[in-house]
Amino acid sequence: MTTLAPPPAAPWAPPPGPPAEEPGKPTPRLPARPGLALAGAALCVLAAVLLGFAANLTIVGHLQHARDQQTAYDELRRQLALGIAPVGQLDYEGKLLEPGAPVALLRIPALDIKEVVAEGTTSEVLMSGPGHRRDTPLPGQAGTTVLMGRQWAYGSPFNHLHNLPVGTRVELTTGQGKAVYEVTGIRRAGDELPDPLADGQGRLTLLTATGAPYTPSGVLRVDARLITPVQPSPPRELRPGWIAASEQALGGDDNAWLAVFLWTQGLLLAALLAVFAYRVWGRWQTWICAGPLLLALGLADSRAITALLPNLL
């Protein structure tokens, strides 16, 4: 009797899995969760603001200061050549000087300082260089002229004022000519005030911050007496004390809140678009296109935030 052999067993096969993807067909992406997208956008905004803030207080701020100084120097030279440089609180057309208008050229050879002085002492004005307190006379005129400058940020023009010895010469050129001052002393909080000025005398006071880098804790004042003939003083529209708190020493500019709000909104919108593009478009394409935009908006936003900080920073 012939015995039939059993049929060979079928080879083992793995359980069925998902269908293989077709070559060249992109992998479908899962829809993004709104919470994760918002968190990613918030991180982008925070990173852009922090990077922009650090850049504004260091490299970018110094570059901006150098550019603004060159522009102001060219404008002041033009006005001096035409005889229309400011000699008081009003310009040659009889209008109140705009904040940021160049009014004098400051030279301190002992510190190798050569800076154009602008009208006004708000935080934004002092980003471009030293500023002239608007309710004080211009350099060379009778009375006490007050100039303010930053200690560390935006070119740090007054960073080394504390090194000025008594007797150092300070030169200022305005539309009335050159005024020369001689340093008489340096004051900090609690120090004795200088003697009151007599009629027809002039004094210069240079102000900057004291304290560790980027953390102002007080005000440093350098006093100097006018040793050249006093120049005539035109009538003043602003009396002493008629300035806003933002123009006082260590004052911040509250008017910058609107700019902060608008730039932050734009930055958040750009970050949301970048997160969406990352999910749909891809990593490198998104960062190549969105990175420069986020950085530019971060710089603008952080610059507006810097205006809220003390003006002598």
Side-chain angles (χ1 to χ4, degrees):
M1 182 175 177
T2 304
T3 302
L4 297 177
W12 179 86
E21 298 179 0
E22 298 180 10
K25 185 177 180 180
T27 304
R29 298 181 183 273
L30 296 176
R33 297 180 182 178
L36 293 178
L38 187 60
L43 288 176
C44 287
V45 170
L46 180 61
V49 170
L50 290 177
L51 288 175
F53 193 71
N56 266 305
L57 292 180
T58 53
I59 299 175
V60 175
H62 292 316
L63 292 176
Q64 176 190 328
H65 166 265
R67 180 203 64 187
D68 292 347
Q69 278 291 303
Q70 184 60 53
T71 302
Y73 181 71
D74 294 339
E75 175 62 18
L76 183 61
R77 283 189 61 187
R78 184 188 72 84
Q79 294 181 5
L80 290 173
L82 296 176
I84 58 175
V87 295
Q89 295 177 347
L90 306 179
D91 61 14
Y92 69 98
E93 294 180 340
K95 301 177 182 178
L96 198 66
L97 288 175
E98 293 288 336
V103 296
L105 179 63
L106 169 67
R107 287 191 180 95
I108 307 180
L111 298 180
D112 197 24
I113 290 178
K114 181 181 177 182
E115 294 275 331
V116 177
V117 179
E119 181 73 352
T121 51
T122 62
S123 185
E124 185 173 0
V125 171
L126 297 189
M127 291 179 184
S128 300
H132 165 247
R133 182 165 156 159
R134 298 186 303 137
D135 61 342
T136 65
L138 283 181
Q141 299 174 1
T144 300
T145 301
V146 177
L147 305 183
M148 300 185 189
R150 291 184 178 270
Q151 179 193 24
W152 288 98
Y154 293 94
S156 55
F158 283 4
N159 187 26
H160 299 291
L161 282 188
H162 61 281
N163 292 328
L164 279 177
V166 173
T168 303
R169 296 292 179 92
V170 178
E171 303 173 359
L172 283 142
T173 302
T174 69
Q176 294 176 313
K178 179 185 290 188
V180 180
Y181 293 84
E182 187 176 82
V183 174
T184 57
I186 296 177
R187 288 184 288 131
R188 293 176 173 82
D191 290 345
E192 186 179 354
L193 296 176
D195 295 332
L197 290 174
D199 293 338
Q201 290 184 334
R203 175 184 291 141
L204 173 69
T205 301
L206 304 176
L207 271 68
T208 192
T210 60
Y214 303 104
T215 54
S217 59
V219 178
L220 174 78
R221 293 174 173 85
V222 176
D223 296 313
R225 63 182 182 90
L226 181 65
I227 60 175
T228 51
V230 175
Q231 299 293 339
S233 300
R236 295 194 221 167
E237 297 290 326
L238 293 175
R239 299 296 180 183
W242 289 14
I243 57 174
S246 60
E247 298 181 72
Q248 304 281 355
L250 298 180
D253 191 359
D254 291 337
N255 294 328
W257 277 114
L258 177 60
V260 171
F261 176 73
L262 295 177
W263 283 118
T264 303
Q265 277 193 325
L267 183 57
L268 180 59
L269 177 60
L272 287 172
L273 292 176
V275 172
F276 176 77
Y278 178 83
R279 302 280 305 179
V280 175
W281 199 6
R283 176 186 301 175
W284 296 112
Q285 298 93 325
T286 299
W287 283 117
I288 290 174
C289 296
L293 175 61
L294 290 173
L295 181 59
L297 291 173
L299 284 171
D301 195 13
S302 61
R303 186 179 187 275
I305 294 174
T306 305
L308 299 172
L309 300 179
N311 53 5
L312 300 181
L313 175 70

